[in-house]
mmCIF file of all heavy atoms in Angstrom:
data_model
loop_
_atom_site.group_PDB
_atom_site.id
_atom_site.type_symbol
_atom_site.label_atom_id
_atom_site.label_comp_id
_atom_site.label_asym_id
_atom_site.label_seq_id
_atom_site.Cartn_x
_atom_site.Cartn_y
_atom_site.Cartn_z
ATOM 1 N N MET A 13 9.668 28.137 -18.950
ATOM 2 C CA MET A 13 9.592 26.857 -18.270
ATOM 3 C C MET A 13 10.992 26.270 -18.150
ATOM 4 O O MET A 13 11.814 26.399 -19.047
ATOM 5 C CB MET A 13 8.693 25.917 -19.061
ATOM 6 C CG MET A 13 8.291 24.707 -18.303
ATOM 7 S SD MET A 13 6.937 23.917 -19.178
ATOM 8 C CE MET A 13 7.098 22.321 -18.470
ATOM 9 N N THR A 14 11.254 25.646 -17.043
ATOM 10 C CA THR A 14 12.591 25.101 -16.828
ATOM 11 C C THR A 14 12.759 23.814 -17.610
ATOM 12 O O THR A 14 11.807 23.061 -17.841
ATOM 13 C CB THR A 14 12.823 24.815 -15.335
ATOM 14 O OG1 THR A 14 11.872 23.852 -14.910
ATOM 15 C CG2 THR A 14 12.678 26.072 -14.515
ATOM 16 N N ARG A 15 13.980 23.560 -17.986
ATOM 17 C CA ARG A 15 14.280 22.325 -18.690
ATOM 18 C C ARG A 15 14.602 21.240 -17.668
ATOM 19 O O ARG A 15 15.500 21.397 -16.843
ATOM 20 C CB ARG A 15 15.474 22.506 -19.613
ATOM 21 C CG ARG A 15 15.172 23.351 -20.802
ATOM 22 C CD ARG A 15 16.339 23.318 -21.726
ATOM 23 N NE ARG A 15 16.031 24.061 -22.931
ATOM 24 C CZ ARG A 15 16.783 24.026 -23.996
ATOM 25 N NH1 ARG A 15 17.891 23.332 -24.008
ATOM 26 N NH2 ARG A 15 16.436 24.711 -25.065
ATOM 27 N N LEU A 16 13.873 20.180 -17.722
ATOM 28 C CA LEU A 16 14.103 19.062 -16.812
ATOM 29 C C LEU A 16 14.796 17.934 -17.554
ATOM 30 O O LEU A 16 14.379 17.546 -18.645
ATOM 31 C CB LEU A 16 12.784 18.535 -16.247
ATOM 32 C CG LEU A 16 12.123 19.342 -15.149
ATOM 33 C CD1 LEU A 16 10.809 18.702 -14.754
ATOM 34 C CD2 LEU A 16 13.021 19.419 -13.940
ATOM 35 N N THR A 17 15.828 17.432 -16.946
ATOM 36 C CA THR A 17 16.448 16.233 -17.483
ATOM 37 C C THR A 17 15.665 15.036 -16.982
ATOM 38 O O THR A 17 14.749 15.156 -16.164
ATOM 39 C CB THR A 17 17.913 16.120 -17.010
ATOM 40 O OG1 THR A 17 17.922 16.029 -15.591
ATOM 41 C CG2 THR A 17 18.724 17.312 -17.461
ATOM 42 N N ARG A 18 16.001 13.883 -17.469
ATOM 43 C CA ARG A 18 15.310 12.677 -17.031
ATOM 44 C C ARG A 18 15.497 12.456 -15.541
ATOM 45 O O ARG A 18 14.559 12.129 -14.822
ATOM 46 C CB ARG A 18 15.835 11.473 -17.813
ATOM 47 C CG ARG A 18 15.030 10.234 -17.569
ATOM 48 C CD ARG A 18 15.562 9.056 -18.334
ATOM 49 N NE ARG A 18 15.827 9.400 -19.723
ATOM 50 C CZ ARG A 18 16.400 8.595 -20.590
ATOM 51 N NH1 ARG A 18 16.771 7.406 -20.226
ATOM 52 N NH2 ARG A 18 16.615 8.970 -21.817
ATOM 53 N N ARG A 19 16.711 12.663 -15.063
ATOM 54 C CA ARG A 19 16.976 12.495 -13.623
ATOM 55 C C ARG A 19 16.222 13.525 -12.797
ATOM 56 O O ARG A 19 15.692 13.221 -11.740
ATOM 57 C CB ARG A 19 18.463 12.614 -13.330
ATOM 58 C CG ARG A 19 19.262 11.427 -13.762
ATOM 59 C CD ARG A 19 20.693 11.597 -13.360
ATOM 60 N NE ARG A 19 21.484 10.489 -13.832
ATOM 61 C CZ ARG A 19 22.789 10.416 -13.746
ATOM 62 N NH1 ARG A 19 23.465 11.415 -13.204
ATOM 63 N NH2 ARG A 19 23.434 9.370 -14.196
ATOM 64 N N GLY A 20 16.178 14.747 -13.273
ATOM 65 C CA GLY A 20 15.453 15.795 -12.555
ATOM 66 C C GLY A 20 13.959 15.524 -12.497
ATOM 67 O O GLY A 20 13.306 15.767 -11.483
ATOM 68 N N PHE A 21 13.414 15.009 -13.599
ATOM 69 C CA PHE A 21 11.998 14.682 -13.627
ATOM 70 C C PHE A 21 11.681 13.560 -12.649
ATOM 71 O O PHE A 21 10.700 13.627 -11.897
ATOM 72 C CB PHE A 21 11.582 14.283 -15.045
ATOM 73 C CG PHE A 21 10.157 13.830 -15.133
ATOM 74 C CD1 PHE A 21 9.133 14.749 -15.081
ATOM 75 C CD2 PHE A 21 9.859 12.486 -15.262
ATOM 76 C CE1 PHE A 21 7.824 14.339 -15.156
ATOM 77 C CE2 PHE A 21 8.552 12.071 -15.341
ATOM 78 C CZ PHE A 21 7.527 13.002 -15.297
ATOM 79 N N ILE A 22 12.497 12.522 -12.641
ATOM 80 C CA ILE A 22 12.268 11.406 -11.724
ATOM 81 C C ILE A 22 12.401 11.870 -10.279
ATOM 82 O O ILE A 22 11.599 11.504 -9.423
ATOM 83 C CB ILE A 22 13.238 10.250 -12.038
ATOM 84 C CG1 ILE A 22 12.885 9.637 -13.403
ATOM 85 C CG2 ILE A 22 13.199 9.182 -10.958
ATOM 86 C CD1 ILE A 22 13.887 8.626 -13.911
ATOM 87 N N ALA A 23 13.395 12.704 -9.997
ATOM 88 C CA ALA A 23 13.591 13.192 -8.627
ATOM 89 C C ALA A 23 12.415 14.055 -8.178
ATOM 90 O O ALA A 23 11.941 13.927 -7.049
ATOM 91 C CB ALA A 23 14.890 13.982 -8.537
ATOM 92 N N SER A 24 11.921 14.931 -9.049
ATOM 93 C CA SER A 24 10.790 15.778 -8.663
ATOM 94 C C SER A 24 9.516 14.960 -8.503
ATOM 95 O O SER A 24 8.693 15.247 -7.630
ATOM 96 C CB SER A 24 10.589 16.888 -9.684
ATOM 97 O OG SER A 24 10.253 16.339 -10.943
ATOM 98 N N THR A 25 9.340 13.935 -9.307
ATOM 99 C CA THR A 25 8.171 13.072 -9.179
ATOM 100 C C THR A 25 8.199 12.313 -7.866
ATOM 101 O O THR A 25 7.191 12.210 -7.164
ATOM 102 C CB THR A 25 8.104 12.087 -10.352
ATOM 103 O OG1 THR A 25 8.130 12.814 -11.576
ATOM 104 C CG2 THR A 25 6.854 11.244 -10.296
ATOM 105 N N LEU A 26 9.358 11.776 -7.492
ATOM 106 C CA LEU A 26 9.483 11.057 -6.225
ATOM 107 C C LEU A 26 9.290 11.991 -5.033
ATOM 108 O O LEU A 26 8.676 11.610 -4.033
ATOM 109 C CB LEU A 26 10.839 10.371 -6.142
ATOM 110 C CG LEU A 26 11.037 9.182 -7.075
ATOM 111 C CD1 LEU A 26 12.463 8.659 -6.976
ATOM 112 C CD2 LEU A 26 10.040 8.083 -6.769
ATOM 113 N N ALA A 27 9.795 13.206 -5.137
ATOM 114 C CA ALA A 27 9.632 14.163 -4.047
ATOM 115 C C ALA A 27 8.160 14.547 -3.869
ATOM 116 O O ALA A 27 7.665 14.654 -2.743
ATOM 117 C CB ALA A 27 10.471 15.400 -4.318
ATOM 118 N N ALA A 28 7.456 14.735 -4.974
ATOM 119 C CA ALA A 28 6.032 15.073 -4.883
ATOM 120 C C ALA A 28 5.234 13.910 -4.300
ATOM 121 O O ALA A 28 4.318 14.112 -3.492
ATOM 122 C CB ALA A 28 5.494 15.444 -6.267
ATOM 123 N N GLY A 29 5.588 12.702 -4.675
ATOM 124 C CA GLY A 29 4.912 11.528 -4.119
ATOM 125 C C GLY A 29 5.176 11.368 -2.634
ATOM 126 O O GLY A 29 4.294 10.988 -1.870
ATOM 127 N N ALA A 30 6.387 11.682 -2.210
ATOM 128 C CA ALA A 30 6.718 11.583 -0.785
ATOM 129 C C ALA A 30 5.966 12.626 0.023
ATOM 130 O O ALA A 30 5.496 12.349 1.128
ATOM 131 C CB ALA A 30 8.227 11.760 -0.596
ATOM 132 N N LEU A 31 5.800 13.825 -0.533
ATOM 133 C CA LEU A 31 5.051 14.864 0.176
ATOM 134 C C LEU A 31 3.577 14.513 0.310
ATOM 135 O O LEU A 31 2.942 14.838 1.308
ATOM 136 C CB LEU A 31 5.186 16.202 -0.558
ATOM 137 C CG LEU A 31 6.524 16.914 -0.399
ATOM 138 C CD1 LEU A 31 6.556 18.171 -1.251
ATOM 139 C CD2 LEU A 31 6.767 17.259 1.056
ATOM 140 N N ARG A 32 3.038 13.814 -0.662
ATOM 141 C CA ARG A 32 1.625 13.428 -0.590
ATOM 142 C C ARG A 32 1.409 12.311 0.415
ATOM 143 O O ARG A 32 0.353 12.226 1.023
ATOM 144 C CB ARG A 32 1.131 12.976 -1.961
ATOM 145 C CG ARG A 32 1.000 14.123 -2.929
ATOM 146 C CD ARG A 32 0.394 13.672 -4.211
ATOM 147 N NE ARG A 32 -0.979 13.245 -3.951
ATOM 148 C CZ ARG A 32 -1.757 12.670 -4.852
ATOM 149 N NH1 ARG A 32 -1.287 12.444 -6.056
ATOM 150 N NH2 ARG A 32 -2.978 12.319 -4.556
ATOM 151 N N SER A 33 2.378 11.424 0.587
ATOM 152 C CA SER A 33 2.172 10.275 1.462
ATOM 153 C C SER A 33 2.516 10.564 2.923
ATOM 154 O O SER A 33 2.088 9.833 3.802
ATOM 155 C CB SER A 33 3.003 9.093 0.971
ATOM 156 O OG SER A 33 4.388 9.379 1.081
ATOM 157 N N VAL A 34 3.282 11.605 3.206
ATOM 158 C CA VAL A 34 3.691 11.896 4.583
ATOM 159 C C VAL A 34 2.501 12.242 5.479
ATOM 160 O O VAL A 34 2.375 11.672 6.553
ATOM 161 C CB VAL A 34 4.758 13.011 4.609
ATOM 162 C CG1 VAL A 34 4.973 13.532 6.008
ATOM 163 C CG2 VAL A 34 6.066 12.475 4.042
ATOM 164 N N PRO A 35 1.578 13.138 5.095
ATOM 165 C CA PRO A 35 0.458 13.433 5.994
ATOM 166 C C PRO A 35 -0.436 12.224 6.257
ATOM 167 O O PRO A 35 -0.998 12.085 7.323
ATOM 168 C CB PRO A 35 -0.326 14.520 5.271
ATOM 169 C CG PRO A 35 0.615 15.107 4.299
ATOM 170 C CD PRO A 35 1.572 14.017 3.943
ATOM 171 N N VAL A 36 -0.561 11.334 5.305
ATOM 172 C CA VAL A 36 -1.403 10.155 5.478
ATOM 173 C C VAL A 36 -0.804 9.230 6.528
ATOM 174 O O VAL A 36 -1.503 8.723 7.398
ATOM 175 C CB VAL A 36 -1.564 9.417 4.128
ATOM 176 C CG1 VAL A 36 -2.280 8.092 4.325
ATOM 177 C CG2 VAL A 36 -2.313 10.287 3.150
ATOM 178 N N THR A 37 0.497 9.022 6.485
ATOM 179 C CA THR A 37 1.125 8.117 7.444
ATOM 180 C C THR A 37 1.185 8.727 8.832
ATOM 181 O O THR A 37 1.124 8.015 9.818
ATOM 182 C CB THR A 37 2.546 7.741 6.983
ATOM 183 O OG1 THR A 37 3.319 8.927 6.813
ATOM 184 C CG2 THR A 37 2.503 6.957 5.687
ATOM 185 N N LEU A 38 1.291 10.054 8.938
ATOM 186 C CA LEU A 38 1.349 10.681 10.247
ATOM 187 C C LEU A 38 -0.036 10.824 10.872
ATOM 188 O O LEU A 38 -0.163 10.799 12.092
ATOM 189 C CB LEU A 38 1.996 12.071 10.124
ATOM 190 C CG LEU A 38 3.472 12.092 9.761
ATOM 191 C CD1 LEU A 38 3.954 13.534 9.637
ATOM 192 C CD2 LEU A 38 4.304 11.349 10.783
ATOM 193 N N GLY A 39 -1.065 10.957 10.073
ATOM 194 C CA GLY A 39 -2.397 11.191 10.595
ATOM 195 C C GLY A 39 -3.094 9.933 11.092
ATOM 196 O O GLY A 39 -3.919 9.987 11.988
ATOM 197 N N LYS A 40 -2.798 8.791 10.528
ATOM 198 C CA LYS A 40 -3.493 7.569 10.898
ATOM 199 C C LYS A 40 -2.719 6.796 11.955
ATOM 200 O O LYS A 40 -1.504 6.685 11.879
ATOM 201 C CB LYS A 40 -3.646 6.664 9.677
ATOM 202 C CG LYS A 40 -4.595 7.193 8.639
ATOM 203 C CD LYS A 40 -4.742 6.196 7.531
ATOM 204 C CE LYS A 40 -5.697 6.670 6.468
ATOM 205 N NZ LYS A 40 -5.785 5.727 5.357
ATOM 206 N N PRO A 41 -3.419 6.240 12.932
ATOM 207 C CA PRO A 41 -2.736 5.365 13.877
ATOM 208 C C PRO A 41 -2.380 4.054 13.172
ATOM 209 O O PRO A 41 -3.061 3.654 12.220
ATOM 210 C CB PRO A 41 -3.765 5.136 14.981
ATOM 211 C CG PRO A 41 -5.074 5.374 14.321
ATOM 212 C CD PRO A 41 -4.820 6.407 13.261
ATOM 213 N N PRO A 42 -1.343 3.391 13.622
ATOM 214 C CA PRO A 42 -0.955 2.150 12.949
ATOM 215 C C PRO A 42 -2.032 1.072 13.127
ATOM 216 O O PRO A 42 -2.545 0.869 14.221
ATOM 217 C CB PRO A 42 0.339 1.754 13.644
ATOM 218 C CG PRO A 42 0.344 2.499 14.926
ATOM 219 C CD PRO A 42 -0.451 3.731 14.707
ATOM 220 N N ALA A 43 -2.379 0.443 12.044
ATOM 221 C CA ALA A 43 -3.396 -0.611 12.072
ATOM 222 C C ALA A 43 -2.702 -1.972 12.038
ATOM 223 O O ALA A 43 -1.646 -2.127 11.437
ATOM 224 C CB ALA A 43 -4.324 -0.465 10.876
ATOM 225 N N ARG A 44 -3.328 -2.937 12.716
ATOM 226 C CA ARG A 44 -2.771 -4.283 12.722
ATOM 227 C C ARG A 44 -3.398 -5.077 11.590
ATOM 228 O O ARG A 44 -4.578 -4.939 11.294
ATOM 229 C CB ARG A 44 -3.068 -4.982 14.046
ATOM 230 C CG ARG A 44 -2.303 -4.395 15.195
ATOM 231 C CD ARG A 44 -2.498 -5.208 16.433
ATOM 232 N NE ARG A 44 -3.930 -5.332 16.738
ATOM 233 C CZ ARG A 44 -4.434 -6.280 17.495
ATOM 234 N NH1 ARG A 44 -3.663 -7.182 18.031
ATOM 235 N NH2 ARG A 44 -5.743 -6.329 17.728
ATOM 236 N N ARG A 45 -2.616 -5.922 10.971
ATOM 237 C CA ARG A 45 -3.111 -6.808 9.934
ATOM 238 C C ARG A 45 -3.281 -8.190 10.541
ATOM 239 O O ARG A 45 -2.365 -8.720 11.163
ATOM 240 C CB ARG A 45 -2.130 -6.877 8.773
ATOM 241 C CG ARG A 45 -1.944 -5.546 8.086
ATOM 242 C CD ARG A 45 -1.071 -5.709 6.904
ATOM 243 N NE ARG A 45 -1.876 -6.221 5.824
ATOM 244 C CZ ARG A 45 -1.896 -5.715 4.608
ATOM 245 N NH1 ARG A 45 -1.109 -4.737 4.313
ATOM 246 N NH2 ARG A 45 -2.673 -6.218 3.695
ATOM 247 N N ILE A 46 -4.459 -8.756 10.372
ATOM 248 C CA ILE A 46 -4.740 -10.085 10.891
ATOM 249 C C ILE A 46 -4.985 -11.006 9.704
ATOM 250 O O ILE A 46 -5.871 -10.757 8.886
ATOM 251 C CB ILE A 46 -5.951 -10.077 11.836
ATOM 252 C CG1 ILE A 46 -5.631 -9.213 13.051
ATOM 253 C CG2 ILE A 46 -6.325 -11.489 12.246
ATOM 254 C CD1 ILE A 46 -6.757 -9.099 14.024
ATOM 255 N N LEU A 47 -4.200 -12.055 9.618
ATOM 256 C CA LEU A 47 -4.322 -13.036 8.551
ATOM 257 C C LEU A 47 -4.989 -14.281 9.120
ATOM 258 O O LEU A 47 -4.515 -14.863 10.097
ATOM 259 C CB LEU A 47 -2.948 -13.388 7.977
ATOM 260 C CG LEU A 47 -2.946 -14.387 6.830
ATOM 261 C CD1 LEU A 47 -3.626 -13.799 5.608
ATOM 262 C CD2 LEU A 47 -1.530 -14.797 6.497
ATOM 263 N N THR A 48 -6.113 -14.659 8.530
ATOM 264 C CA THR A 48 -6.863 -15.827 8.973
ATOM 265 C C THR A 48 -6.949 -16.821 7.825
ATOM 266 O O THR A 48 -7.249 -16.433 6.691
ATOM 267 C CB THR A 48 -8.284 -15.424 9.402
ATOM 268 O OG1 THR A 48 -8.192 -14.354 10.331
ATOM 269 C CG2 THR A 48 -9.020 -16.576 10.029
ATOM 270 N N LEU A 49 -6.685 -18.082 8.115
ATOM 271 C CA LEU A 49 -6.835 -19.136 7.119
ATOM 272 C C LEU A 49 -8.140 -19.869 7.376
ATOM 273 O O LEU A 49 -8.397 -20.314 8.497
ATOM 274 C CB LEU A 49 -5.663 -20.116 7.177
ATOM 275 C CG LEU A 49 -4.304 -19.551 6.791
ATOM 276 C CD1 LEU A 49 -3.228 -20.592 7.029
ATOM 277 C CD2 LEU A 49 -4.301 -19.122 5.347
ATOM 278 N N VAL A 50 -8.975 -19.988 6.353
ATOM 279 C CA VAL A 50 -10.242 -20.696 6.462
ATOM 280 C C VAL A 50 -10.348 -21.712 5.340
ATOM 281 O O VAL A 50 -9.732 -21.571 4.290
ATOM 282 C CB VAL A 50 -11.453 -19.726 6.408
ATOM 283 C CG1 VAL A 50 -11.465 -18.803 7.596
ATOM 284 C CG2 VAL A 50 -11.465 -18.953 5.120
ATOM 285 N N TYR A 51 -11.130 -22.755 5.577
ATOM 286 C CA TYR A 51 -11.367 -23.754 4.537
ATOM 287 C C TYR A 51 -12.605 -23.350 3.752
ATOM 288 O O TYR A 51 -13.693 -23.182 4.312
ATOM 289 C CB TYR A 51 -11.555 -25.142 5.147
ATOM 290 C CG TYR A 51 -11.707 -26.216 4.097
ATOM 291 C CD1 TYR A 51 -10.598 -26.668 3.398
ATOM 292 C CD2 TYR A 51 -12.947 -26.738 3.783
ATOM 293 C CE1 TYR A 51 -10.723 -27.632 2.420
ATOM 294 C CE2 TYR A 51 -13.090 -27.704 2.810
ATOM 295 C CZ TYR A 51 -11.972 -28.149 2.124
ATOM 296 O OH TYR A 51 -12.102 -29.099 1.150
ATOM 297 N N ASP A 52 -12.448 -23.172 2.464
ATOM 298 C CA ASP A 52 -13.543 -22.783 1.588
ATOM 299 C C ASP A 52 -14.050 -24.033 0.881
ATOM 300 O O ASP A 52 -13.347 -24.640 0.076
ATOM 301 C CB ASP A 52 -13.058 -21.742 0.574
ATOM 302 C CG ASP A 52 -14.200 -21.065 -0.154
ATOM 303 O OD1 ASP A 52 -15.341 -21.560 -0.087
ATOM 304 O OD2 ASP A 52 -13.945 -20.022 -0.782
ATOM 305 N N LYS A 53 -15.285 -24.443 1.207
ATOM 306 C CA LYS A 53 -15.838 -25.679 0.639
ATOM 307 C C LYS A 53 -16.062 -25.554 -0.861
ATOM 308 O O LYS A 53 -15.906 -26.522 -1.594
ATOM 309 C CB LYS A 53 -17.152 -26.031 1.325
ATOM 310 C CG LYS A 53 -16.983 -26.475 2.751
ATOM 311 C CD LYS A 53 -18.334 -26.828 3.354
ATOM 312 C CE LYS A 53 -18.173 -27.217 4.798
ATOM 313 N NZ LYS A 53 -19.473 -27.529 5.424
ATOM 314 N N SER A 54 -16.444 -24.368 -1.331
ATOM 315 C CA SER A 54 -16.714 -24.206 -2.758
ATOM 316 C C SER A 54 -15.441 -24.323 -3.590
ATOM 317 O O SER A 54 -15.471 -24.824 -4.709
ATOM 318 C CB SER A 54 -17.396 -22.870 -3.023
ATOM 319 O OG SER A 54 -16.536 -21.803 -2.668
ATOM 320 N N LEU A 55 -14.324 -23.843 -3.035
ATOM 321 C CA LEU A 55 -13.046 -23.974 -3.739
ATOM 322 C C LEU A 55 -12.388 -25.314 -3.470
ATOM 323 O O LEU A 55 -11.560 -25.777 -4.250
ATOM 324 C CB LEU A 55 -12.088 -22.849 -3.323
ATOM 325 C CG LEU A 55 -12.465 -21.435 -3.742
ATOM 326 C CD1 LEU A 55 -11.495 -20.440 -3.146
ATOM 327 C CD2 LEU A 55 -12.474 -21.313 -5.246
ATOM 328 N N GLY A 56 -12.708 -25.907 -2.314
ATOM 329 C CA GLY A 56 -12.099 -27.179 -1.954
ATOM 330 C C GLY A 56 -10.680 -27.036 -1.448
ATOM 331 O O GLY A 56 -9.895 -27.975 -1.549
ATOM 332 N N MET A 57 -10.360 -25.854 -0.900
ATOM 333 C CA MET A 57 -9.003 -25.634 -0.393
ATOM 334 C C MET A 57 -9.014 -24.511 0.637
ATOM 335 O O MET A 57 -10.033 -23.863 0.852
ATOM 336 C CB MET A 57 -8.048 -25.311 -1.528
ATOM 337 C CG MET A 57 -8.353 -24.068 -2.294
ATOM 338 S SD MET A 57 -7.192 -23.860 -3.628
ATOM 339 C CE MET A 57 -7.669 -22.287 -4.223
ATOM 340 N N MET A 58 -7.864 -24.295 1.248
ATOM 341 C CA MET A 58 -7.725 -23.232 2.236
ATOM 342 C C MET A 58 -7.635 -21.883 1.520
ATOM 343 O O MET A 58 -7.106 -21.783 0.419
ATOM 344 C CB MET A 58 -6.475 -23.447 3.085
ATOM 345 C CG MET A 58 -6.488 -24.712 3.911
ATOM 346 S SD MET A 58 -7.740 -24.714 5.167
ATOM 347 C CE MET A 58 -7.004 -23.656 6.377
ATOM 348 N N ARG A 59 -8.176 -20.859 2.193
ATOM 349 C CA ARG A 59 -8.161 -19.513 1.635
ATOM 350 C C ARG A 59 -7.706 -18.560 2.728
ATOM 351 O O ARG A 59 -8.047 -18.720 3.893
ATOM 352 C CB ARG A 59 -9.556 -19.145 1.161
ATOM 353 C CG ARG A 59 -9.656 -17.854 0.447
ATOM 354 C CD ARG A 59 -10.983 -17.730 -0.262
ATOM 355 N NE ARG A 59 -12.092 -17.822 0.664
ATOM 356 C CZ ARG A 59 -12.889 -16.785 0.966
ATOM 357 N NH1 ARG A 59 -12.690 -15.615 0.446
ATOM 358 N NH2 ARG A 59 -13.891 -16.952 1.819
ATOM 359 N N ALA A 60 -6.919 -17.563 2.356
ATOM 360 C CA ALA A 60 -6.419 -16.574 3.320
ATOM 361 C C ALA A 60 -7.313 -15.339 3.285
ATOM 362 O O ALA A 60 -7.663 -14.839 2.223
ATOM 363 C CB ALA A 60 -4.984 -16.195 2.987
ATOM 364 N N ILE A 61 -7.680 -14.855 4.483
ATOM 365 C CA ILE A 61 -8.456 -13.616 4.614
ATOM 366 C C ILE A 61 -7.612 -12.630 5.400
ATOM 367 O O ILE A 61 -7.187 -12.909 6.521
ATOM 368 C CB ILE A 61 -9.794 -13.872 5.341
ATOM 369 C CG1 ILE A 61 -10.638 -14.848 4.543
ATOM 370 C CG2 ILE A 61 -10.536 -12.569 5.563
ATOM 371 C CD1 ILE A 61 -11.905 -15.266 5.231
ATOM 372 N N ASP A 62 -7.340 -11.496 4.798
ATOM 373 C CA ASP A 62 -6.494 -10.470 5.403
ATOM 374 C C ASP A 62 -7.392 -9.314 5.836
ATOM 375 O O ASP A 62 -8.138 -8.762 5.037
ATOM 376 C CB ASP A 62 -5.467 -9.989 4.388
ATOM 377 C CG ASP A 62 -4.393 -9.145 5.014
ATOM 378 O OD1 ASP A 62 -4.203 -9.226 6.224
ATOM 379 O OD2 ASP A 62 -3.728 -8.408 4.261
ATOM 380 N N ARG A 63 -7.337 -8.950 7.154
ATOM 381 C CA ARG A 63 -8.155 -7.858 7.674
ATOM 382 C C ARG A 63 -7.266 -6.824 8.341
ATOM 383 O O ARG A 63 -6.243 -7.148 8.905
ATOM 384 C CB ARG A 63 -9.138 -8.382 8.722
ATOM 385 C CG ARG A 63 -10.199 -9.268 8.178
ATOM 386 C CD ARG A 63 -11.218 -9.621 9.235
ATOM 387 N NE ARG A 63 -10.568 -10.350 10.321
ATOM 388 C CZ ARG A 63 -10.940 -10.292 11.601
ATOM 389 N NH1 ARG A 63 -11.941 -9.541 11.962
ATOM 390 N NH2 ARG A 63 -10.311 -10.996 12.509
ATOM 391 N N LEU A 64 -7.688 -5.566 8.252
ATOM 392 C CA LEU A 64 -7.023 -4.475 8.966
ATOM 393 C C LEU A 64 -7.848 -4.124 10.181
ATOM 394 O O LEU A 64 -9.033 -3.839 10.085
ATOM 395 C CB LEU A 64 -6.884 -3.245 8.074
ATOM 396 C CG LEU A 64 -5.872 -3.341 6.947
ATOM 397 C CD1 LEU A 64 -5.930 -2.089 6.087
ATOM 398 C CD2 LEU A 64 -4.483 -3.533 7.491
ATOM 399 N N VAL A 65 -7.223 -4.141 11.360
ATOM 400 C CA VAL A 65 -7.892 -3.837 12.606
ATOM 401 C C VAL A 65 -7.241 -2.603 13.202
ATOM 402 O O VAL A 65 -6.027 -2.587 13.425
ATOM 403 C CB VAL A 65 -7.808 -5.024 13.585
ATOM 404 C CG1 VAL A 65 -8.460 -4.679 14.905
ATOM 405 C CG2 VAL A 65 -8.430 -6.259 12.980
ATOM 406 N N PRO A 66 -8.035 -1.544 13.462
ATOM 407 C CA PRO A 66 -7.437 -0.322 14.027
ATOM 408 C C PRO A 66 -6.960 -0.488 15.447
ATOM 409 O O PRO A 66 -7.286 -1.379 16.138
ATOM 410 C CB PRO A 66 -8.555 0.700 13.962
ATOM 411 C CG PRO A 66 -9.803 -0.066 13.735
ATOM 412 C CD PRO A 66 -9.441 -1.410 13.224
#
């Protein structure tokens, strides 16, 4: 087994994470985020609702 230094371990972890996230970002069309503010009577204040719209 190869000896990994701390820097090597962090670099390999980041590279593996980048490889996992690339197909997800390329496969999905960009979605729009819509932020709506509504008055919530039970809370007695405004509340933000965030929705993703394809």
Side-chain angles (χ1 to χ4, degrees):
M13 194 166 160
T14 61
R15 289 187 176 191
L16 283 178
T17 61
R18 189 180 313 174
R19 286 183 183 173
F21 176 75
I22 292 172
S24 63
T25 305
L26 290 175
L31 285 176
R32 289 185 65 187
S33 65
V34 168
V36 172
T37 57
L38 292 178
K40 291 184 179 177
R44 290 187 304 159
R45 297 185 81 131
I46 297 178
L47 181 66
T48 308
L49 294 174
V50 295
Y51 184 76
D52 193 346
K53 290 181 182 178
S54 63
L55 293 175
M57 62 182 186
M58 297 295 283
R59 186 167 59 111
I61 299 174
D62 192 20
R63 292 186 298 148
L64 288 175
V65 178

